[in-house]
């Protein structure tokens, strides 16, 4: 099976193949039992709740796979922070990132030529497959922000641009966690740590130092050259679509490509790409192709390129239905709730307060 199939039945096979107990033990290693389901969750094809319910069906000991469930909760938590904070997640959330020298990105990261072999291999894999192991994402983020001393936002946008599982909440807030603007301290890793989890034995790199040295060292020569990259999205050409105005219209988008959503209802189904959204949060051609391929699981769906208001006004839509999301606040119509792992009342800005609240309901 290909790494990220787009046919729904093949996606379900990947869900059935998860090994959550082994994941708990080895998830940080390069070849750990990670599920690679994140692209489907990010694109709204399946939900964290859907995966959790599959665990219940398998009658797996939930206590033995608590870490796996906790990682599902992290994804929901970041999304709920986005819901609560909105545009504020695009800025340093809790405190200013300190020791920032520029708002660019190191050229050696872009070129996958940092000299740290495991890092360079994974950056090339990101370009080739649209995926990077989560532990490596932390390494790369730390190099870009805490070692190269660039502000987190442009490097975070660069990674998001290429990730098939690009979720701006998870991406931006995780980068801020690494950079110390959304946490109590910065995250750093040295070469020994990378060697352990990615099965290398490399020495004499700029990270082949003690943590004490790394925390205060100057920018290594390998990271001195910086770029102010301009990321962009090349959206498909706009085509006319056919709308039956006597029927409701369901609006799908980059964060909701759920083939089961109101599946048996007689409706118009429109997958919208709004240029202004992708100008702000640009994605690669690989990500566009992946999303469009996923949409083919939805019968009679039509692709529309343009703003929500253009769609609504030009096609005289009056009965519109969509799923809630922070990028949908300008939509008008009936708003369906997303499938959260566990619906919780209140605002929880600390993950472990949030987790302790829902843990008793899940495990």
């Amino acid at each position: 099976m290909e790494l990220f199939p787009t046919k729904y039945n093949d996606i379900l096979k990947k869900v059935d193949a998860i090994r959550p107990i082994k994941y708990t033990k080895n998830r940080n290693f390069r070849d750990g039992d990670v599920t690679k389901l994140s692209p489907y969750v990010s694109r709204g094809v399946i939900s964290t709740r859907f995966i959790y319910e599959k665990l219940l069906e398998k009658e797996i000991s939930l206590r033995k796979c608590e870490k796996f469930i906790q990682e599902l909760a992290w994804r929901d938590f970041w999304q709920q922070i986005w819901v609560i904070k909105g545009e504020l997640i695009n800025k340093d959330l809790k405190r200013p990132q300190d020791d920032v020298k520029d708002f660019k990105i190191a050229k050696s990261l872009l070129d996958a030529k940092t000299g740290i072999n495991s890092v360079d291999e994974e950056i090339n894999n990101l370009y080739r497959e649209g995926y990077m192991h989560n532990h490596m994402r932390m390494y790369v983020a730390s190099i870009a922000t805490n070692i190269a001393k660039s502000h987190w936002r442009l490097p975070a946008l660069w990674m998001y641009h290429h990730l098939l599982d690009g979720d701006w909440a998870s991406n931006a807030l995780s980068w801020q966690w690494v950079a110390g603007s959304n946490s109590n301290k910065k995250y750093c890793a040295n070469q020994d740590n990378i060697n352990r989890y990615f099965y290398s034995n490399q020495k004499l790199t700029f990270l082949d130092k003690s943590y004490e040295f790394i925390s205060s060292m100057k920018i290594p020569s390998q990271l001195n050259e910086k770029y102010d990259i301009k990321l962009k999205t090349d959206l498909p050409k706009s085509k006319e679509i056919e709308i039956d105005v006597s029927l409701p219209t369901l609006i799908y988008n980059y964060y909701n490509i759920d083939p089961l959503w109101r599946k048996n209802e007689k409706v118009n189904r429109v997958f919208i790409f709004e240029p202004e959204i992708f100008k702000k949060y640009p994605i690669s051609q690989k990500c566009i192709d992946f999303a469009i391929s996923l949409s083919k699981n939805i019968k009679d769906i039509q692709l529309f390129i343009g703003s929500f208001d253009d769609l609504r006004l030009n096609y005289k839509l009056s009965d519109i239905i969509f799923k809630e999301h922070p990028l949908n606040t300008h939509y008008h119509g009936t708003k369906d709730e997303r499938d959260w792992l566990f619906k919780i009342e209140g605002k929880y800005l600390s993950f472990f307060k949030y987790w302790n609240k829902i843990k008793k309901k899940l495990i």
Side-chain angles (χ1 to χ4, degrees):
M1 183 184 294
E2 60 186 307
L3 185 59
F4 295 113
T6 55
K7 292 182 178 178
Y8 191 63
N9 285 340
D10 289 335
I11 296 169
L12 293 182
K13 290 177 183 177
K14 288 179 72 71
V15 175
D16 288 337
I18 61 175
R19 298 192 287 184
I21 296 175
K22 288 190 174 182
Y23 168 93
T24 296
K25 296 176 180 178
N26 63 23
R27 67 191 181 91
N28 285 328
F29 289 89
R30 183 190 65 194
D31 59 351
D33 286 275
V34 295
T35 66
K36 293 188 172 66
L37 292 175
S38 54
Y40 310 111
V41 177
S42 295
R43 301 287 66 81
V45 178
I46 57 176
S47 66
T48 52
R49 184 73 196 181
F50 181 90
I51 297 170
Y52 173 75
E53 287 175 351
K54 290 297 181 183
L55 298 182
L56 297 180
E57 289 177 11
K58 290 174 176 286
E59 298 183 349
I60 296 172
S61 169
L62 298 182
R63 292 202 174 276
K64 289 183 179 179
C65 58
E66 178 176 335
K67 190 63 181 175
F68 180 84
I69 300 170
Q70 190 180 85
E71 290 303 310
L72 296 178
W74 267 110
R75 179 170 290 272
D76 273 18
F77 175 71
W78 291 138
Q79 279 289 313
Q80 292 194 34
I81 295 295
W82 197 4
V83 171
I84 295 166
K85 293 293 186 178
E87 288 288 313
L88 291 177
I89 72 166
N90 290 319
K91 301 176 181 178
D92 294 354
L93 192 61
K94 292 184 177 178
R95 60 187 58 83
Q97 179 185 337
D98 64 11
D99 201 17
V100 172
K101 304 300 184 186
D102 58 75
F103 290 78
K104 302 179 181 180
I105 184 172
K107 183 177 184 296
S108 59
L109 282 170
L110 294 175
D111 295 342
K113 292 182 178 179
T114 66
I116 300 176
N117 295 338
S118 296
V119 170
D120 295 340
E121 289 169 10
E122 285 294 310
I123 293 173
N124 281 322
N125 186 61
L126 171 66
Y127 293 151
R128 184 173 58 252
E129 302 286 356
Y131 179 80
M132 181 181 283
H133 189 286
N134 193 59
H135 206 171
M136 181 56 70
R137 297 183 199 196
M138 294 171 62
Y139 295 152
V140 171
S142 180
I143 291 169
T145 59
N146 302 330
I147 309 300
K149 303 186 188 303
S150 295
H151 189 264
W152 63 267
R153 192 164 189 274
L154 183 61
L157 277 170
W158 158 72
M159 185 173 283
Y160 174 85
H161 179 80
H162 292 286
L163 287 169
L164 296 183
D165 65 6
D167 173 336
W168 183 242
S170 292
N171 204 61
L173 294 169
S174 295
W175 274 76
Q176 290 201 52
W177 183 88
V178 169
S181 61
N182 186 31
S183 58
N184 295 323
K185 63 179 181 178
K186 297 184 176 188
Y187 168 83
C188 287
N190 65 10
Q191 188 64 54
D192 284 344
N193 188 287
I194 296 172
N195 287 345
R196 177 189 176 193
Y197 288 104
F198 280 77
Y199 306 121
S200 56
N201 56 6
Q202 194 174 8
K203 299 292 183 183
L204 304 178
T205 70
F206 61 80
L207 287 182
D208 192 18
K209 312 286 184 182
S210 69
Y211 282 106
E212 182 180 12
F213 182 89
I214 289 173
S215 66
S216 59
M217 73 179 182
K218 294 180 179 179
I219 300 174
S221 60
Q222 296 92 332
L223 303 175
N224 268 328
E225 189 175 356
K226 306 289 184 69
Y227 270 13
D228 183 10
I229 55 172
K230 304 298 181 185
L231 300 164
K232 66 175 185 175
T233 306
D234 294 320
L235 292 174
K237 298 296 182 183
S238 183
K239 295 181 181 179
E240 285 295 314
I241 61 175
E242 296 181 1
I243 295 292
D244 183 342
V245 295
S246 69
L247 298 176
T249 299
L250 267 60
I251 305 296
Y252 300 77
N253 57 40
Y254 192 58
Y255 281 87
N256 172 30
I257 318 175
D258 180 358
L260 302 185
W261 180 42
R262 296 180 178 251
K263 181 180 178 180
N264 297 319
E265 297 183 20
K266 190 174 182 181
V267 294
N268 302 298
R269 301 180 189 272
V270 178
F271 183 15
I272 188 172
F273 277 93
E274 295 187 89
E276 284 302 309
I277 296 293
F278 294 97
K279 183 177 180 180
K280 190 169 187 177
Y281 304 107
I283 60 174
S284 69
Q285 188 63 51
K286 186 181 293 291
C287 292
I288 292 173
D289 293 343
F290 181 67
I292 291 175
S293 185
L294 287 171
S295 74
K296 293 178 180 177
N297 292 301
I298 302 167
K299 186 178 180 181
D300 297 327
I301 196 167
Q302 299 181 80
L303 184 65
F304 178 81
I305 312 299
S307 71
F308 174 83
D309 282 341
D310 285 343
L311 174 65
R312 179 175 61 89
L313 296 173
N314 292 346
Y315 290 91
K316 298 179 173 58
L317 303 183
S318 58
D319 190 355
I320 298 171
I321 306 169
F322 59 92
K323 275 193 181 184
E324 177 277 325
H325 191 273
L327 294 180
N328 296 354
T329 56
H330 58 296
Y331 286 15
H332 304 284
T334 300
K335 180 169 64 175
D336 281 358
E337 185 74 25
R338 276 189 279 172
D339 296 324
W340 299 102
L341 181 61
F342 183 80
K343 181 60 178 175
I344 188 170
E345 298 299 326
K347 298 178 180 180
Y348 291 81
L349 301 182
S350 160
F351 173 75
F352 286 103
K353 287 182 179 178
Y354 167 77
W355 172 245
N356 289 334
K357 184 72 174 179
I358 67 172
K359 177 181 174 181
K360 63 186 70 173
K361 306 292 185 180
L362 297 172
I363 298 177

